[in-house]
Amino acid sequence: MGPARDQGLLEVKEIVAKATDREQYDPKQSDEERRELRIQYRQLTEDALEKRRELVAHNSGDGLLRIVSKSNVLFKNVKNTQEAVLDSRFLVLASDLNSQKTQSIQIGEDTEINLDELVAKIITASSEGPNHREGVCLDWELLGQRASTFGKRVHTMDFMLGPLSVQRKEIRKSKAVRLTKNKNDLVTPTQLKEGDIKEQENETSNNVNAIYQILSQVSPVNYFKFVTNPESFSQTVENIFYVSFLARSGVVGISTDSGQPILDLREAPNVMNIEDVVNKKQIIMGIDIKDWKEIIETYNVTESYIPTRQFKQNVSTGTEWY
């Protein structure tokens, strides 16, 4: 199996070697030749950077053309990737210099492009075409054919005015209508006095205190039986919330020694038992409607220890706020 595999690799290498164009890629190019190429590319790049201001100045552009021609000569001997990377970097630099030089051209100056001379040369070139009529029209077909020889861009089917089937969109201008307010519809805000605003009772504190009074009468009691309201899932969640305030303050605790969560009263924190409060543990309990129904069924909860609270509807009268 080994010799057969080696023979197959040798055959593949021979095929690749025969198909490889040594003029484009030659891994066996001498190290001396490659080293000399890299030195010349680096020197050419440094010269371009040092003469950057001169190369982008207002002149005929012969300096930039000369360094690009030198890079073309060097590229003929490039046959490996390392030298090709240096050529690509120099090409990027030359493109940047050419772009800056193009942006600095000022059309119309005598030292640069003379528009009158340009137009005269275009007319002279057009006069050689069969469709040229002096003073009437130019032979644009002939001019286009000559201009196309200077570019390698693929010819397209676009029109100068875009697709022929495009319909021009009409822009509709709408005038902004000013809104006129009717003075009779304006209502003066109610003027509030200090006695019109009643202080809202702290409902949370009242509910926590009420639950503590109930727990002091039935303690110890199963936690789920105490907080569950079989008539209302939302009030069951509220009861859990209120009991958590009592547990946080240290006056209520939950024991699991019997295997069930038993809720009972604890002594208020003081100097003697402050360490018990500091070492207390807290948990986060989640409950949804499915769990609520299962608790009611499992513990046979038919009546809530905590009475169902009636929601107060906030209403406002003419002069009082609630």
Side-chain angles (χ1 to χ4, degrees), residues 18 22 69 81 119 133 160 176 179 195 225-226 233 236 248 260-261 267 299 308-309 322:
K18 292 180 180 179
R22 298 298 180 182
S69 300
T81 56
V119 172
R133 286 188 290 175
M160 294 181 67
L179 179 62
K225 289 184 178 181
F226 183 74
F233 169 73
T236 300
R248 187 183 65 176
Q260 290 289 331
E267 294 183 4
Y299 292 98
T308 302
R309 293 176 291 278
Y322 293 84

Side-chain angles (χ1 to χ4, degrees), residues 65-265:
L65 179 60
R66 281 196 298 270
I67 64 171
V68 173
S69 300
K70 290 181 181 179
S71 69
N72 291 336
V73 175
L74 294 177
F75 184 71
K76 292 181 181 179
N77 297 323
V78 173
K79 298 179 182 180
N80 286 277
T81 56
Q82 189 173 359
E83 293 75 35
V85 169
L86 294 177
D87 182 80
S88 300
R89 290 177 179 174
F90 176 79
L91 183 60
V92 171
L93 175 61
S95 300
D96 184 38
L97 294 175
N98 188 58
S99 176
Q100 294 181 20
K101 187 174 183 63
T102 304
Q103 294 176 2
S104 64
I105 292 178
Q106 297 180 3
I107 298 177
E109 289 189 357
D110 295 336
T111 57
E112 301 297 339
I113 299 177
N114 190 309
L115 293 181
D116 294 335
E117 183 180 355
L118 176 63
V119 172
K121 289 184 177 180
I122 292 176
I123 295 175
T124 301
S126 174
S127 62
E128 301 176 3
N131 299 325
H132 176 81
R133 286 188 290 175
E134 191 67 30
V136 179
C137 68
L138 302 177
D139 191 345
W140 289 107
E141 183 177 355
L142 175 64
L143 294 174
Q145 290 176 354
R146 291 189 176 182
S148 63
T149 60
F150 295 96
K152 297 182 180 180
R153 186 175 180 180
V154 179
H155 298 282
T156 62
M157 298 297 295
D158 297 336
F159 295 92
M160 294 181 67
L161 296 178
L164 300 178
S165 61
V166 172
Q167 296 181 357
R168 186 177 180 181
K169 295 182 179 180
E170 296 182 0
I171 301 176
R172 298 181 181 180
K173 296 182 179 180
S174 57
K175 296 182 178 180
V177 181
R178 185 175 181 180
L179 179 62
T180 304
K181 297 182 179 180
N182 187 359
K183 294 183 179 180
N184 296 329
D185 296 336
L186 298 178
V187 179
T188 303
T190 304
Q191 299 294 329
L192 299 179
K193 299 180 181 179
E194 185 177 356
D196 294 336
I197 302 177
K198 293 185 176 180
E199 296 183 0
Q200 185 178 6
E201 296 179 352
N202 193 332
E203 186 176 354
T204 301
S205 298
N206 293 338
N207 290 333
V208 171
N209 293 332
I211 291 176
Y212 179 76
Q213 296 297 330
I214 297 173
L215 182 59
S216 62
Q217 300 175 6
V218 299
S219 174
V221 64
N222 186 285
Y223 172 78
F224 291 113
K225 289 184 178 181
F226 183 74
V227 299
T228 302
N229 187 329
E231 300 177 1
S232 174
F233 169 73
S234 61
Q235 292 212 11
T236 300
V237 176
E238 291 178 1
N239 293 340
I240 296 174
F241 174 70
Y242 294 141
V243 171
S244 67
F245 275 92
L246 297 174
R248 187 183 65 176
S249 60
V251 297
V252 167
I254 300 177
S255 175
T256 58
D257 296 338
S258 63
Q260 290 289 331
I262 303 301
L263 193 64
D264 59 352
L265 298 179

